[in-house]
Amino acid sequence: DSGVTQTPKHLITATGQRVTLRCSPRSGDLSVYWYQQSLDQGLQFLIQYYNGEERAKGNILERFSAQQFPDLHSELNLSSLELGDSALYFCASSLHWDPAYGYTFGSGTRLTVV
Amino acid sequence: SQQGEEDPQALSIQEGENATMNCSYKTSINNLQWYRQNSGRGLVHLILIRSNEREKHSGRLRVTLDTSKKSSSLLITASRAADTASYFCATDGWGGAQKLVFGQGTRLTINP
């Protein structure tokens, strides 16, 4: 157990639907990162939050949004889902916003859009 | 596009042999990190090497960094079946954004 908790582990939903993925960072970590992993695109950075504030944004689609709450857990919202959104979604956390501290990853949410 | 590119994409060796994976990157970095991912699981941080370091060891892992060539290598000595996984290099400092950018990974298979 890495200390980063992601729920749910698996999610199957239909095209056009909306889902919410949840992440609880490791205790004491202030930074949360979301990554999407697919076979053809590899690990793609989506977005980073640090202590409740958005810190960096990657190739995140407009249909996707995220937030970090006062208790530091984070949610990634995916809407108007398409088949191509099927992927593993990882959350990672770190103590600081500086990547030099290394990331601790959760076990991921496997999203299947049918 | 990815900052880091691992080579080879796949590597298959016999248990007990050494495994070497390479990573090349494009822009200047502050540090380079290696992660392991078992099939379908989360990534696990293995080792970090800073831009002013040339070599670092951790157990059976040896990492080198050549900033003039913008490349790094990960050596796993005396491989074990449990080392079967994908290995990713990750770099920061790309475009000034403070996040890790991962390569496509090397799929390592250790045959018993």
Side-chain angles (χ1 to χ4, degrees):
Chain A
D1 182 8
S2 68
V4 177
T5 303
Q6 286 189 251
T7 57
K9 294 192 185 305
H10 301 277
L11 198 51
I12 301 175
T13 189
T15 54
Q17 294 299 303
R18 171 189 169 95
V19 297
T20 297
L21 312 184
R22 183 187 168 100
C23 169
S24 294
R26 192 180 58 165
S27 178
D29 285 355
L30 299 178
S31 228
V32 169
Y33 309 81
W34 285 97
Y35 283 82
Q36 178 193 59
Q37 186 178 37
S38 59
L39 283 175
D40 56 342
Q41 293 293 320
L43 265 163
Q44 295 287 322
F45 169 74
L46 296 178
I47 198 163
Q48 175 201 6
Y49 283 85
Y50 175 75
N51 205 19
E53 300 288 328
E54 183 183 302
R55 182 84 188 183
K57 214 166 186 175
N59 298 323
I60 187 167
L61 300 172
E62 285 190 12
R63 300 184 286 109
F64 296 1
S65 65
Q67 55 183 326
Q68 186 179 30
F69 294 87
D71 66 351
L72 300 177
H73 91 270
S74 178
E75 292 181 356
L76 179 66
N77 300 297
L78 315 176
S79 62
S80 302
L81 285 167
E82 302 174 358
L83 295 177
D85 297 326
S86 295
L88 264 171
Y89 290 83
F90 286 106
C91 167
S93 72
S94 66
L95 173 65
H96 197 267
W97 48 260
D98 185 343
Y101 284 75
Y103 293 0
T104 300
F105 279 80
S107 56
T109 293
R110 182 174 294 280
L111 174 66
T112 303
V113 182
V114 297
Chain B
S1 63
Q2 301 293 340
Q3 159 76 317
E5 293 185 4
E6 284 91 343
D7 171 55
Q9 290 188 352
L11 179 62
S12 181
I13 61 173
Q14 295 300 120
E15 195 167 16
E17 295 180 341
N18 296 340
T20 299
M21 288 158 274
N22 303 296
C23 167
S24 60
Y25 57 92
K26 296 173 184 173
T27 63
S28 61
I29 60 171
N30 295 315
N31 66 75
L32 185 144
Q33 304 179 33
W34 285 90
Y35 287 77
R36 183 187 74 229
Q37 182 183 32
N38 290 89
S39 182
R41 307 291 295 274
L43 282 76
V44 175
H45 182 265
L46 295 177
I47 195 166
L48 177 152
I49 187 165
R50 301 189 186 282
S51 59
N52 61 352
E53 297 176 313
R54 292 296 166 259
E55 188 171 312
K56 202 161 182 180
H57 296 257
S58 177
R60 294 183 295 113
L61 304 181
R62 173 179 169 251
V63 170
T64 62
L65 179 64
D66 187 334
T67 52
S68 67
K69 295 181 179 178
K70 292 186 170 58
S71 67
S72 172
S73 68
L74 171 67
L75 168 67
I76 303 174
T77 60
S79 63
R80 305 168 182 168
D83 295 329
T84 293
S86 291
Y87 292 81
F88 295 85
C89 68
T91 55
D92 70 347
W94 182 45
Q98 291 153 343
K99 62 184 187 291
L100 287 181
V101 179
F102 289 81
Q104 293 280 20
T106 292
R107 175 68 190 166
L108 175 65
T109 302
I110 308 299
N111 302 303

PDB file of all heavy atoms in Angstrom, chain B residues 45-79:
ATOM      1  N   HIS B  45       8.481   4.633  -7.234  1.00  0.00           N
ATOM      2  CA  HIS B  45       9.724   5.393  -7.367  1.00  0.00           C
ATOM      3  C   HIS B  45      10.914   4.517  -7.000  1.00  0.00           C
ATOM      4  O   HIS B  45      10.926   3.865  -5.950  1.00  0.00           O
ATOM      5  CB  HIS B  45       9.654   6.616  -6.455  1.00  0.00           C
ATOM      6  CG  HIS B  45      10.855   7.506  -6.548  1.00  0.00           C
ATOM      7  ND1 HIS B  45      11.918   7.412  -5.692  1.00  0.00           N
ATOM      8  CD2 HIS B  45      11.154   8.505  -7.409  1.00  0.00           C
ATOM      9  CE1 HIS B  45      12.814   8.316  -6.012  1.00  0.00           C
ATOM     10  NE2 HIS B  45      12.373   9.002  -7.044  1.00  0.00           N
ATOM     11  N   LEU B  46      11.911   4.484  -7.886  1.00  0.00           N
ATOM     12  CA  LEU B  46      13.101   3.665  -7.640  1.00  0.00           C
ATOM     13  C   LEU B  46      14.278   4.513  -7.171  1.00  0.00           C
ATOM     14  O   LEU B  46      14.908   4.217  -6.150  1.00  0.00           O
ATOM     15  CB  LEU B  46      13.496   2.910  -8.910  1.00  0.00           C
ATOM     16  CG  LEU B  46      12.514   1.850  -9.421  1.00  0.00           C
ATOM     17  CD1 LEU B  46      13.021   1.264 -10.726  1.00  0.00           C
ATOM     18  CD2 LEU B  46      12.306   0.773  -8.379  1.00  0.00           C
ATOM     19  N   ILE B  47      14.607   5.528  -7.940  1.00  0.00           N
ATOM     20  CA  ILE B  47      15.827   6.274  -7.671  1.00  0.00           C
ATOM     21  C   ILE B  47      15.770   7.623  -8.370  1.00  0.00           C
ATOM     22  O   ILE B  47      15.141   7.763  -9.419  1.00  0.00           O
ATOM     23  CB  ILE B  47      17.061   5.454  -8.131  1.00  0.00           C
ATOM     24  CG1 ILE B  47      18.349   6.000  -7.547  1.00  0.00           C
ATOM     25  CG2 ILE B  47      17.096   5.313  -9.639  1.00  0.00           C
ATOM     26  CD1 ILE B  47      19.532   5.042  -7.698  1.00  0.00           C
ATOM     27  N   LEU B  48      16.419   8.604  -7.767  1.00  0.00           N
ATOM     28  CA  LEU B  48      16.502   9.953  -8.336  1.00  0.00           C
ATOM     29  C   LEU B  48      17.964  10.323  -8.466  1.00  0.00           C
ATOM     30  O   LEU B  48      18.762  10.073  -7.551  1.00  0.00           O
ATOM     31  CB  LEU B  48      15.775  10.936  -7.428  1.00  0.00           C
ATOM     32  CG  LEU B  48      15.777  12.430  -7.788  1.00  0.00           C
ATOM     33  CD1 LEU B  48      14.534  13.096  -7.241  1.00  0.00           C
ATOM     34  CD2 LEU B  48      17.009  13.148  -7.245  1.00  0.00           C
ATOM     35  N   ILE B  49      18.322  10.925  -9.575  1.00  0.00           N
ATOM     36  CA  ILE B  49      19.680  11.418  -9.766  1.00  0.00           C
ATOM     37  C   ILE B  49      19.595  12.887 -10.175  1.00  0.00           C
ATOM     38  O   ILE B  49      18.801  13.255 -11.045  1.00  0.00           O
ATOM     39  CB  ILE B  49      20.469  10.566 -10.797  1.00  0.00           C
ATOM     40  CG1 ILE B  49      21.923  11.011 -10.845  1.00  0.00           C
ATOM     41  CG2 ILE B  49      19.810  10.584 -12.171  1.00  0.00           C
ATOM     42  CD1 ILE B  49      22.847  10.013 -11.548  1.00  0.00           C
ATOM     43  N   ARG B  50      20.362  13.712  -9.506  1.00  0.00           N
ATOM     44  CA  ARG B  50      20.310  15.146  -9.776  1.00  0.00           C
ATOM     45  C   ARG B  50      21.233  15.490 -10.945  1.00  0.00           C
ATOM     46  O   ARG B  50      22.156  14.744 -11.271  1.00  0.00           O
ATOM     47  CB  ARG B  50      20.699  15.929  -8.524  1.00  0.00           C
ATOM     48  CG  ARG B  50      19.791  15.617  -7.360  1.00  0.00           C
ATOM     49  CD  ARG B  50      19.995  16.534  -6.169  1.00  0.00           C
ATOM     50  NE  ARG B  50      19.203  16.091  -5.032  1.00  0.00           N
ATOM     51  CZ  ARG B  50      17.903  16.302  -4.902  1.00  0.00           C
ATOM     52  NH1 ARG B  50      17.235  16.944  -5.842  1.00  0.00           N
ATOM     53  NH2 ARG B  50      17.258  15.860  -3.836  1.00  0.00           N
ATOM     54  N   SER B  51      21.010  16.642 -11.524  1.00  0.00           N
ATOM     55  CA  SER B  51      21.753  17.015 -12.731  1.00  0.00           C
ATOM     56  C   SER B  51      23.249  17.177 -12.475  1.00  0.00           C
ATOM     57  O   SER B  51      24.045  17.091 -13.403  1.00  0.00           O
ATOM     58  CB  SER B  51      21.178  18.298 -13.328  1.00  0.00           C
ATOM     59  OG  SER B  51      21.239  19.353 -12.397  1.00  0.00           O
ATOM     60  N   ASN B  52      23.638  17.404 -11.217  1.00  0.00           N
ATOM     61  CA  ASN B  52      25.065  17.553 -10.922  1.00  0.00           C
ATOM     62  C   ASN B  52      25.708  16.240 -10.470  1.00  0.00           C
ATOM     63  O   ASN B  52      26.865  16.217 -10.054  1.00  0.00           O
ATOM     64  CB  ASN B  52      25.287  18.631  -9.855  1.00  0.00           C
ATOM     65  CG  ASN B  52      24.615  18.283  -8.547  1.00  0.00           C
ATOM     66  OD1 ASN B  52      23.870  17.326  -8.455  1.00  0.00           O
ATOM     67  ND2 ASN B  52      24.889  19.095  -7.520  1.00  0.00           N
ATOM     68  N   GLU B  53      24.951  15.144 -10.552  1.00  0.00           N
ATOM     69  CA  GLU B  53      25.480  13.821 -10.210  1.00  0.00           C
ATOM     70  C   GLU B  53      25.700  13.018 -11.477  1.00  0.00           C
ATOM     71  O   GLU B  53      24.993  13.201 -12.480  1.00  0.00           O
ATOM     72  CB  GLU B  53      24.508  13.078  -9.284  1.00  0.00           C
ATOM     73  CG  GLU B  53      24.306  13.770  -7.942  1.00  0.00           C
ATOM     74  CD  GLU B  53      23.258  13.077  -7.075  1.00  0.00           C
ATOM     75  OE1 GLU B  53      22.167  12.757  -7.601  1.00  0.00           O
ATOM     76  OE2 GLU B  53      23.540  12.872  -5.890  1.00  0.00           O
ATOM     77  N   ARG B  54      26.665  12.125 -11.446  1.00  0.00           N
ATOM     78  CA  ARG B  54      26.976  11.314 -12.629  1.00  0.00           C
ATOM     79  C   ARG B  54      26.558   9.865 -12.447  1.00  0.00           C
ATOM     80  O   ARG B  54      26.278   9.168 -13.426  1.00  0.00           O
ATOM     81  CB  ARG B  54      28.469  11.389 -12.937  1.00  0.00           C
ATOM     82  CG  ARG B  54      28.899  12.759 -13.401  1.00  0.00           C
ATOM     83  CD  ARG B  54      28.224  13.122 -14.735  1.00  0.00           C
ATOM     84  NE  ARG B  54      28.368  14.539 -15.037  1.00  0.00           N
ATOM     85  CZ  ARG B  54      27.407  15.432 -14.849  1.00  0.00           C
ATOM     86  NH1 ARG B  54      26.221  15.067 -14.363  1.00  0.00           N
ATOM     87  NH2 ARG B  54      27.594  16.704 -15.165  1.00  0.00           N
ATOM     88  N   GLU B  55      26.556   9.407 -11.184  1.00  0.00           N
ATOM     89  CA  GLU B  55      26.234   8.012 -10.931  1.00  0.00           C
ATOM     90  C   GLU B  55      25.625   7.894  -9.543  1.00  0.00           C
ATOM     91  O   GLU B  55      25.995   8.624  -8.617  1.00  0.00           O
ATOM     92  CB  GLU B  55      27.508   7.163 -11.018  1.00  0.00           C
ATOM     93  CG  GLU B  55      27.283   5.673 -10.963  1.00  0.00           C
ATOM     94  CD  GLU B  55      28.554   4.899 -11.285  1.00  0.00           C
ATOM     95  OE1 GLU B  55      29.205   5.230 -12.288  1.00  0.00           O
ATOM     96  OE2 GLU B  55      28.879   3.972 -10.517  1.00  0.00           O
ATOM     97  N   LYS B  56      24.683   6.943  -9.428  1.00  0.00           N
ATOM     98  CA  LYS B  56      24.061   6.713  -8.135  1.00  0.00           C
ATOM     99  C   LYS B  56      23.709   5.234  -8.015  1.00  0.00           C
ATOM    100  O   LYS B  56      23.347   4.590  -9.006  1.00  0.00           O
ATOM    101  CB  LYS B  56      22.812   7.572  -7.999  1.00  0.00           C
ATOM    102  CG  LYS B  56      22.393   7.831  -6.574  1.00  0.00           C
ATOM    103  CD  LYS B  56      21.476   9.041  -6.509  1.00  0.00           C
ATOM    104  CE  LYS B  56      21.106   9.324  -5.067  1.00  0.00           C
ATOM    105  NZ  LYS B  56      20.207  10.491  -4.969  1.00  0.00           N
ATOM    106  N   HIS B  57      23.826   4.712  -6.794  1.00  0.00           N
ATOM    107  CA  HIS B  57      23.540   3.301  -6.563  1.00  0.00           C
ATOM    108  C   HIS B  57      22.459   3.168  -5.499  1.00  0.00           C
ATOM    109  O   HIS B  57      22.361   3.972  -4.570  1.00  0.00           O
ATOM    110  CB  HIS B  57      24.795   2.577  -6.059  1.00  0.00           C
ATOM    111  CG  HIS B  57      25.924   2.556  -7.042  1.00  0.00           C
ATOM    112  ND1 HIS B  57      26.253   1.445  -7.789  1.00  0.00           N
ATOM    113  CD2 HIS B  57      26.790   3.536  -7.416  1.00  0.00           C
ATOM    114  CE1 HIS B  57      27.287   1.738  -8.562  1.00  0.00           C
ATOM    115  NE2 HIS B  57      27.632   2.986  -8.360  1.00  0.00           N
ATOM    116  N   SER B  58      21.644   2.117  -5.680  1.00  0.00           N
ATOM    117  CA  SER B  58      20.675   1.765  -4.654  1.00  0.00           C
ATOM    118  C   SER B  58      20.438   0.272  -4.751  1.00  0.00           C
ATOM    119  O   SER B  58      19.762  -0.203  -5.668  1.00  0.00           O
ATOM    120  CB  SER B  58      19.363   2.531  -4.852  1.00  0.00           C
ATOM    121  OG  SER B  58      18.399   2.131  -3.896  1.00  0.00           O
ATOM    122  N   GLY B  59      21.024  -0.474  -3.836  1.00  0.00           N
ATOM    123  CA  GLY B  59      20.898  -1.928  -3.884  1.00  0.00           C
ATOM    124  C   GLY B  59      21.448  -2.489  -5.187  1.00  0.00           C
ATOM    125  O   GLY B  59      22.605  -2.248  -5.538  1.00  0.00           O
ATOM    126  N   ARG B  60      20.606  -3.189  -5.946  1.00  0.00           N
ATOM    127  CA  ARG B  60      21.051  -3.759  -7.227  1.00  0.00           C
ATOM    128  C   ARG B  60      20.870  -2.779  -8.399  1.00  0.00           C
ATOM    129  O   ARG B  60      21.078  -3.142  -9.553  1.00  0.00           O
ATOM    130  CB  ARG B  60      20.250  -5.035  -7.521  1.00  0.00           C
ATOM    131  CG  ARG B  60      20.509  -6.183  -6.543  1.00  0.00           C
ATOM    132  CD  ARG B  60      19.757  -7.459  -6.922  1.00  0.00           C
ATOM    133  NE  ARG B  60      18.318  -7.279  -6.834  1.00  0.00           N
ATOM    134  CZ  ARG B  60      17.500  -7.295  -7.884  1.00  0.00           C
ATOM    135  NH1 ARG B  60      17.972  -7.483  -9.117  1.00  0.00           N
ATOM    136  NH2 ARG B  60      16.200  -7.143  -7.719  1.00  0.00           N
ATOM    137  N   LEU B  61      20.490  -1.569  -8.090  1.00  0.00           N
ATOM    138  CA  LEU B  61      20.282  -0.554  -9.133  1.00  0.00           C
ATOM    139  C   LEU B  61      21.478   0.379  -9.236  1.00  0.00           C
ATOM    140  O   LEU B  61      22.034   0.810  -8.218  1.00  0.00           O
ATOM    141  CB  LEU B  61      19.038   0.277  -8.823  1.00  0.00           C
ATOM    142  CG  LEU B  61      17.712  -0.459  -8.617  1.00  0.00           C
ATOM    143  CD1 LEU B  61      16.605   0.547  -8.337  1.00  0.00           C
ATOM    144  CD2 LEU B  61      17.370  -1.317  -9.815  1.00  0.00           C
ATOM    145  N   ARG B  62      21.836   0.672 -10.472  1.00  0.00           N
ATOM    146  CA  ARG B  62      22.879   1.678 -10.724  1.00  0.00           C
ATOM    147  C   ARG B  62      22.358   2.595 -11.829  1.00  0.00           C
ATOM    148  O   ARG B  62      21.972   2.141 -12.897  1.00  0.00           O
ATOM    149  CB  ARG B  62      24.181   1.012 -11.161  1.00  0.00           C
ATOM    150  CG  ARG B  62      25.256   1.990 -11.611  1.00  0.00           C
ATOM    151  CD  ARG B  62      26.532   1.249 -12.001  1.00  0.00           C
ATOM    152  NE  ARG B  62      27.473   2.137 -12.676  1.00  0.00           N
ATOM    153  CZ  ARG B  62      27.761   2.066 -13.980  1.00  0.00           C
ATOM    154  NH1 ARG B  62      27.193   1.166 -14.745  1.00  0.00           N
ATOM    155  NH2 ARG B  62      28.630   2.912 -14.511  1.00  0.00           N
ATOM    156  N   VAL B  63      22.356   3.872 -11.545  1.00  0.00           N
ATOM    157  CA  VAL B  63      21.896   4.855 -12.515  1.00  0.00           C
ATOM    158  C   VAL B  63      23.050   5.771 -12.876  1.00  0.00           C
ATOM    159  O   VAL B  63      23.804   6.197 -11.999  1.00  0.00           O
ATOM    160  CB  VAL B  63      20.726   5.690 -11.936  1.00  0.00           C
ATOM    161  CG1 VAL B  63      20.414   6.878 -12.849  1.00  0.00           C
ATOM    162  CG2 VAL B  63      19.498   4.828 -11.764  1.00  0.00           C
ATOM    163  N   THR B  64      23.174   6.057 -14.158  1.00  0.00           N
ATOM    164  CA  THR B  64      24.151   7.043 -14.611  1.00  0.00           C
ATOM    165  C   THR B  64      23.424   8.163 -15.336  1.00  0.00           C
ATOM    166  O   THR B  64      22.323   7.983 -15.861  1.00  0.00           O
ATOM    167  CB  THR B  64      25.185   6.412 -15.555  1.00  0.00           C
ATOM    168  OG1 THR B  64      24.511   5.925 -16.716  1.00  0.00           O
ATOM    169  CG2 THR B  64      25.931   5.278 -14.865  1.00  0.00           C
ATOM    170  N   LEU B  65      24.037   9.312 -15.351  1.00  0.00           N
ATOM    171  CA  LEU B  65      23.477  10.471 -16.021  1.00  0.00           C
ATOM    172  C   LEU B  65      24.578  11.197 -16.766  1.00  0.00           C
ATOM    173  O   LEU B  65      25.619  11.516 -16.175  1.00  0.00           O
ATOM    174  CB  LEU B  65      22.808  11.408 -15.012  1.00  0.00           C
ATOM    175  CG  LEU B  65      22.184  12.684 -15.569  1.00  0.00           C
ATOM    176  CD1 LEU B  65      21.024  12.360 -16.507  1.00  0.00           C
ATOM    177  CD2 LEU B  65      21.722  13.602 -14.439  1.00  0.00           C
ATOM    178  N   ASP B  66      24.344  11.445 -18.035  1.00  0.00           N
ATOM    179  CA  ASP B  66      25.285  12.215 -18.855  1.00  0.00           C
ATOM    180  C   ASP B  66      24.517  13.411 -19.402  1.00  0.00           C
ATOM    181  O   ASP B  66      23.790  13.295 -20.390  1.00  0.00           O
ATOM    182  CB  ASP B  66      25.835  11.349 -19.983  1.00  0.00           C
ATOM    183  CG  ASP B  66      26.930  12.031 -20.771  1.00  0.00           C
ATOM    184  OD1 ASP B  66      26.955  13.296 -20.802  1.00  0.00           O
ATOM    185  OD2 ASP B  66      27.769  11.353 -21.365  1.00  0.00           O
ATOM    186  N   THR B  67      24.662  14.555 -18.752  1.00  0.00           N
ATOM    187  CA  THR B  67      23.884  15.717 -19.167  1.00  0.00           C
ATOM    188  C   THR B  67      24.370  16.278 -20.495  1.00  0.00           C
ATOM    189  O   THR B  67      23.599  16.924 -21.210  1.00  0.00           O
ATOM    190  CB  THR B  67      23.942  16.819 -18.095  1.00  0.00           C
ATOM    191  OG1 THR B  67      25.302  17.092 -17.770  1.00  0.00           O
ATOM    192  CG2 THR B  67      23.197  16.394 -16.834  1.00  0.00           C
ATOM    193  N   SER B  68      25.625  16.018 -20.855  1.00  0.00           N
ATOM    194  CA  SER B  68      26.115  16.513 -22.156  1.00  0.00           C
ATOM    195  C   SER B  68      25.450  15.761 -23.306  1.00  0.00           C
ATOM    196  O   SER B  68      25.223  16.325 -24.376  1.00  0.00           O
ATOM    197  CB  SER B  68      27.627  16.360 -22.235  1.00  0.00           C
ATOM    198  OG  SER B  68      28.012  14.998 -22.252  1.00  0.00           O
ATOM    199  N   LYS B  69      25.117  14.504 -23.069  1.00  0.00           N
ATOM    200  CA  LYS B  69      24.428  13.705 -24.088  1.00  0.00           C
ATOM    201  C   LYS B  69      22.932  13.641 -23.837  1.00  0.00           C
ATOM    202  O   LYS B  69      22.196  13.008 -24.601  1.00  0.00           O
ATOM    203  CB  LYS B  69      25.006  12.289 -24.111  1.00  0.00           C
ATOM    204  CG  LYS B  69      26.453  12.211 -24.551  1.00  0.00           C
ATOM    205  CD  LYS B  69      26.947  10.766 -24.568  1.00  0.00           C
ATOM    206  CE  LYS B  69      28.401  10.714 -25.028  1.00  0.00           C
ATOM    207  NZ  LYS B  69      28.936   9.332 -25.010  1.00  0.00           N
ATOM    208  N   LYS B  70      22.490  14.253 -22.741  1.00  0.00           N
ATOM    209  CA  LYS B  70      21.077  14.211 -22.368  1.00  0.00           C
ATOM    210  C   LYS B  70      20.584  12.760 -22.330  1.00  0.00           C
ATOM    211  O   LYS B  70      19.595  12.388 -22.996  1.00  0.00           O
ATOM    212  CB  LYS B  70      20.213  15.054 -23.305  1.00  0.00           C
ATOM    213  CG  LYS B  70      20.463  16.549 -23.198  1.00  0.00           C
ATOM    214  CD  LYS B  70      19.486  17.349 -24.029  1.00  0.00           C
ATOM    215  CE  LYS B  70      19.587  18.834 -23.741  1.00  0.00           C
ATOM    216  NZ  LYS B  70      20.921  19.405 -23.969  1.00  0.00           N
ATOM    217  N   SER B  71      21.292  11.961 -21.563  1.00  0.00           N
ATOM    218  CA  SER B  71      20.910  10.545 -21.497  1.00  0.00           C
ATOM    219  C   SER B  71      21.195   9.987 -20.112  1.00  0.00           C
ATOM    220  O   SER B  71      22.050  10.494 -19.363  1.00  0.00           O
ATOM    221  CB  SER B  71      21.650   9.738 -22.562  1.00  0.00           C
ATOM    222  OG  SER B  71      23.024   9.698 -22.276  1.00  0.00           O
ATOM    223  N   SER B  72      20.480   8.923 -19.799  1.00  0.00           N
ATOM    224  CA  SER B  72      20.643   8.231 -18.526  1.00  0.00           C
ATOM    225  C   SER B  72      20.500   6.738 -18.784  1.00  0.00           C
ATOM    226  O   SER B  72      19.865   6.313 -19.755  1.00  0.00           O
ATOM    227  CB  SER B  72      19.569   8.689 -17.537  1.00  0.00           C
ATOM    228  OG  SER B  72      19.595   7.910 -16.355  1.00  0.00           O
ATOM    229  N   SER B  73      21.108   5.947 -17.918  1.00  0.00           N
ATOM    230  CA  SER B  73      20.925   4.512 -18.016  1.00  0.00           C
ATOM    231  C   SER B  73      20.598   3.942 -16.648  1.00  0.00           C
ATOM    232  O   SER B  73      21.046   4.468 -15.624  1.00  0.00           O
ATOM    233  CB  SER B  73      22.170   3.836 -18.590  1.00  0.00           C
ATOM    234  OG  SER B  73      23.240   3.937 -17.679  1.00  0.00           O
ATOM    235  N   LEU B  74      19.809   2.895 -16.660  1.00  0.00           N
ATOM    236  CA  LEU B  74      19.464   2.162 -15.443  1.00  0.00           C
ATOM    237  C   LEU B  74      19.966   0.736 -15.604  1.00  0.00           C
ATOM    238  O   LEU B  74      19.593   0.054 -16.564  1.00  0.00           O
ATOM    239  CB  LEU B  74      17.949   2.154 -15.223  1.00  0.00           C
ATOM    240  CG  LEU B  74      17.431   1.246 -14.091  1.00  0.00           C
ATOM    241  CD1 LEU B  74      17.886   1.761 -12.726  1.00  0.00           C
ATOM    242  CD2 LEU B  74      15.903   1.141 -14.129  1.00  0.00           C
ATOM    243  N   LEU B  75      20.817   0.323 -14.691  1.00  0.00           N
ATOM    244  CA  LEU B  75      21.347  -1.036 -14.701  1.00  0.00           C
ATOM    245  C   LEU B  75      20.772  -1.786 -13.506  1.00  0.00           C
ATOM    246  O   LEU B  75      20.848  -1.308 -12.375  1.00  0.00           O
ATOM    247  CB  LEU B  75      22.869  -1.016 -14.622  1.00  0.00           C
ATOM    248  CG  LEU B  75      23.569  -2.355 -14.336  1.00  0.00           C
ATOM    249  CD1 LEU B  75      23.390  -3.312 -15.516  1.00  0.00           C
ATOM    250  CD2 LEU B  75      25.046  -2.144 -14.033  1.00  0.00           C
ATOM    251  N   ILE B  76      20.185  -2.942 -13.781  1.00  0.00           N
ATOM    252  CA  ILE B  76      19.727  -3.837 -12.718  1.00  0.00           C
ATOM    253  C   ILE B  76      20.645  -5.045 -12.742  1.00  0.00           C
ATOM    254  O   ILE B  76      20.705  -5.774 -13.750  1.00  0.00           O
ATOM    255  CB  ILE B  76      18.269  -4.287 -12.919  1.00  0.00           C
ATOM    256  CG1 ILE B  76      17.341  -3.071 -13.020  1.00  0.00           C
ATOM    257  CG2 ILE B  76      17.824  -5.193 -11.776  1.00  0.00           C
ATOM    258  CD1 ILE B  76      15.897  -3.424 -13.368  1.00  0.00           C
ATOM    259  N   THR B  77      21.372  -5.270 -11.685  1.00  0.00           N
ATOM    260  CA  THR B  77      22.302  -6.394 -11.653  1.00  0.00           C
ATOM    261  C   THR B  77      21.629  -7.630 -11.061  1.00  0.00           C
ATOM    262  O   THR B  77      20.663  -7.537 -10.286  1.00  0.00           O
ATOM    263  CB  THR B  77      23.539  -6.054 -10.814  1.00  0.00           C
ATOM    264  OG1 THR B  77      23.116  -5.750  -9.480  1.00  0.00           O
ATOM    265  CG2 THR B  77      24.280  -4.861 -11.399  1.00  0.00           C
ATOM    266  N   ALA B  78      22.134  -8.795 -11.451  1.00  0.00           N
ATOM    267  CA  ALA B  78      21.650 -10.078 -10.922  1.00  0.00           C
ATOM    268  C   ALA B  78      20.123 -10.125 -10.921  1.00  0.00           C
ATOM    269  O   ALA B  78      19.490 -10.266  -9.869  1.00  0.00           O
ATOM    270  CB  ALA B  78      22.203 -10.306  -9.516  1.00  0.00           C
ATOM    271  N   SER B  79      19.532 -10.002 -12.097  1.00  0.00           N
ATOM    272  CA  SER B  79      18.081  -9.861 -12.205  1.00  0.00           C
ATOM    273  C   SER B  79      17.337 -11.067 -11.617  1.00  0.00           C
ATOM    274  O   SER B  79      17.838 -12.192 -11.578  1.00  0.00           O
ATOM    275  CB  SER B  79      17.685  -9.688 -13.669  1.00  0.00           C
ATOM    276  OG  SER B  79      18.034 -10.836 -14.414  1.00  0.00           O
TER     277      SER B  79
END
